[in-house]
Amino acid sequence: MNKHSEPTRPADEQQVTLRSPAELADALPFLMGFHPSDSIVLVALHGDEGRFGGRLRLGIPRSPREWRPVAEQLAECLVEGSRRRGSRPDGIVAFLCQDPEGGDTGRRVRDRLHPLAQLIRTSFGSLDIPVHEVLCISDGRFWSYCCPDTRCCPPEGNPLALPGTSVMAAASAYAGIQVRGSLREMEARLEPWRGPADRAAGQEQALDEAAGALVPSILGGGNREQVGASTLRTARALLDRLARTTPPPPGRDETARTGTDAADDRLITDDEAAAVIIGLQDREIRDRAAQWMEGPLAEPALRLWRALARRCVGSYAEHAVAPLTLAGWVAWSCGDEPAARVALGLALRLDPAYTFAQLLHQAFNEGLDPETLRRCMRAQGGGLADPQPRAARRSTAKQAKKSVKRVVGKATVKKATTPKVPAPRTRPGTPASRGRTAGRSGQRGTKSGK
């Protein structure tokens, strides 16, 4: 068993101490803001006290042939990101989360992913950073790949703590940190419609018609300006319509929000959705829509971009990159880091080369304050009633985009701090716990992988 301890802190900074693999497994959803499924999760540890720092999540590659390059790339990425925050990690904790499929069992998942766990340890070991713990979480149980003591880590695994029963859960609830649900549930709110075929077919037909009418203008026809104005007018009308309805209820269960999503879908016609989706493929139009990021516009804008992402059905699946990126941007701007992670992850899964999503994802992972990017967005000015001529707007937008790239590239990122309890406005993705590995675990994750 690995012991995770915490140094003494001032009385007003109550800390959570993690002493075992069980408590680490229980902490994972609170570190991410959701239950990661089918995921590799890496968490950096810093200092003698083992503060939790940067973290990365990536879907587990289906092919074992991809495991080695993925493990090496993740190690380099997490180390470089931590260095930009101020210091290299002094240790790593890793999680492999995957539920069994097709009659499999959690223990077989554990055995199948064991080579991946070893590759993660050796990848960090080659960078002289020890991996103190690697946990496999599957089918409601967890296993340690590092602890050989069968008294605390038996071959059949240990059951996860019941939701809401641990000290970590109580402290996180007191601090205002919510766990949304599973990654799959959060992604489902952004994925194309599933269900009655006629509904998706009707939306795809509307997209066909909108593309035939608008794409020639977007690609350089004389009516591109009118397309932009029309797209933004329609989007703003939909945003105002959503703002007049009840917002999604706060809660920890993402499935409870699907009723609100369905209600939002009913407020938007196929033709309206198609016109805005096609219009957003013009990056200048998208950049102007990105200015709906704060104040009373942010919440209905987030609902609108989610709804439009769900409308990208059939052959138009890749058109969801623009609304997904906008959803990620607005969520991050509003402090909803778990939702931002999921939306930007889906956008980059569809198009890894999409520049806006790349910039936001990099800035997000490096701990940049979104206010820095909001200032760049505000610098574009305009909105629906932009008095500037088109050429001036384009020049301003290019300058703002260069500013964003410069800010991301040279940002002085915020170092992770220990959240206080209570902290009613603590960011959902910020850990309420810190941990340190002591004793024999300090020998793990060396270059030899032993």
Side-chain angles (χ1 to χ4, degrees), residues 95-127:
F95 304 83
L96 302 180
C97 309
Q98 190 173 78
D99 284 331
E101 297 179 352
D104 213 347
T105 65
R107 187 169 178 178
R108 289 177 181 172
V109 171
R110 187 274 314 263
D111 293 341
R112 180 168 50 80
L113 295 181
H114 187 263
L116 176 57
Q118 285 297 101
L119 289 168
I120 290 171
R121 296 175 69 186
T122 56
S123 295
F124 280 101
S126 68
L127 301 174

Side-chain angles (χ1 to χ4, degrees), residues 56 72-82 365:
L56 288 178
E72 293 172 352
Q73 185 176 8
L74 286 174
E76 292 174 2
C77 185
L78 183 56
V79 171
E80 177 62 18
S82 297
N365 282 331

Side-chain angles (χ1 to χ4, degrees), residues 156-212:
E156 65 273 15
N158 286 302
L160 294 170
L162 293 175
T165 61
S166 67
V167 174
M168 181 71 179
S172 298
Y174 192 54
I177 300 173
Q178 293 185 352
V179 177
R180 303 297 189 78
S182 72
L183 176 62
R184 288 194 183 100
E185 289 170 343
M186 296 183 73
E187 289 180 340
R189 302 188 66 192
L190 299 163
E191 292 175 342
W193 276 346
R194 297 174 181 173
D198 56 343
R199 182 172 75 161
Q203 181 62 71
E204 188 167 10
Q205 181 178 352
L207 286 163
D208 285 338
E209 294 172 357

Side-chain angles (χ1 to χ4, degrees), residues 221-245:
N223 295 323
R224 186 181 179 194
E225 181 74 14
Q226 288 85 341
V227 171
S230 175
T231 298
L232 291 171
R233 279 197 303 270
T234 302
R236 182 55 189 265
L238 294 175
L239 187 151
D240 291 340
R241 192 182 303 166
L242 291 171
R244 292 192 294 268
T245 65

Side-chain angles (χ1 to χ4, degrees), residues 91-389:
I92 300 293
V93 173
F95 304 83
L96 302 180
C97 309
Q98 190 173 78
D99 284 331
E101 297 179 352
D104 213 347
T105 65
R107 187 169 178 178
R108 289 177 181 172
V109 171
R110 187 274 314 263
D111 293 341
R112 180 168 50 80
L113 295 181
H114 187 263
L116 176 57
Q118 285 297 101
L119 289 168
I120 290 171
R121 296 175 69 186
T122 56
S123 295
F124 280 101
S126 68
L127 301 174
D128 293 323
I129 297 174
V131 177
H132 297 309
E133 184 63 273
V134 185
L135 295 181
C136 176
I137 299 177
S138 180
D139 199 23
R141 305 183 76 83
F142 70 88
W143 291 261
S144 170
Y145 288 115
C146 299
C147 179
D149 191 342
T150 57
R151 293 172 299 176
C152 60
C153 299
E156 65 273 15
N158 286 302
L160 294 170
L162 293 175
T165 61
S166 67
V167 174
M168 181 71 179
S172 298
Y174 192 54
I177 300 173
Q178 293 185 352
V179 177
R180 303 297 189 78
S182 72
L183 176 62
R184 288 194 183 100
E185 289 170 343
M186 296 183 73
E187 289 180 340
R189 302 188 66 192
L190 299 163
E191 292 175 342
W193 276 346
R194 297 174 181 173
D198 56 343
R199 182 172 75 161
Q203 181 62 71
E204 188 167 10
Q205 181 178 352
L207 286 163
D208 285 338
E209 294 172 357
L214 301 179
V215 168
S217 297
I218 292 175
L219 293 179
N223 295 323
R224 186 181 179 194
E225 181 74 14
Q226 288 85 341
V227 171
S230 175
T231 298
L232 291 171
R233 279 197 303 270
T234 302
R236 182 55 189 265
L238 294 175
L239 187 151
D240 291 340
R241 192 182 303 166
L242 291 171
R244 292 192 294 268
T245 65
T246 304
R252 299 170 68 176
D253 187 358
E254 283 296 301
T255 60
R257 298 171 181 253
T258 57
T260 301
D261 291 342
D264 288 348
D265 291 339
R266 289 191 292 269
L267 292 172
I268 303 172
T269 69
D270 290 350
D271 291 339
E272 290 171 329
V276 178
I277 289 169
I278 299 300
L280 290 176
Q281 306 312 303
D282 184 314
R283 297 188 178 186
E284 183 180 337
I285 298 172
R286 178 210 63 197
D287 289 348
R288 294 175 67 191
Q291 296 171 36
W292 300 328
M293 61 192 170
E294 55 190 343
L297 295 178
E299 184 270 329
L302 179 56
R303 292 163 60 193
L304 175 59
W305 306 140
R306 283 172 172 161
L308 294 181
R310 294 192 293 269
R311 299 289 189 115
C312 295
V313 297
S315 59
Y316 290 88
E318 291 187 0
H319 284 62
V321 176
L324 284 170
T325 303
L326 289 170
W329 160 237
V330 176
W332 181 34
S333 179
C334 295
D336 190 346
E337 293 191 5
R341 287 181 188 276
V342 173
L344 292 175
L346 287 175
L348 290 172
R349 186 186 304 174
L350 288 170
D351 186 355
Y354 197 71
T355 303
F356 189 28
Q358 286 178 331
L359 289 172
L360 291 174
H361 194 255
Q362 181 182 352
F364 177 86
N365 282 331
E366 292 183 0
L368 187 66
D369 187 340
E371 175 58 23
T372 308
L373 302 187
R374 281 196 293 263
R375 286 197 296 268
C376 294
M377 293 291 183
R378 296 186 196 110
Q380 296 185 38
L384 292 178
D386 192 343
Q388 301 182 81

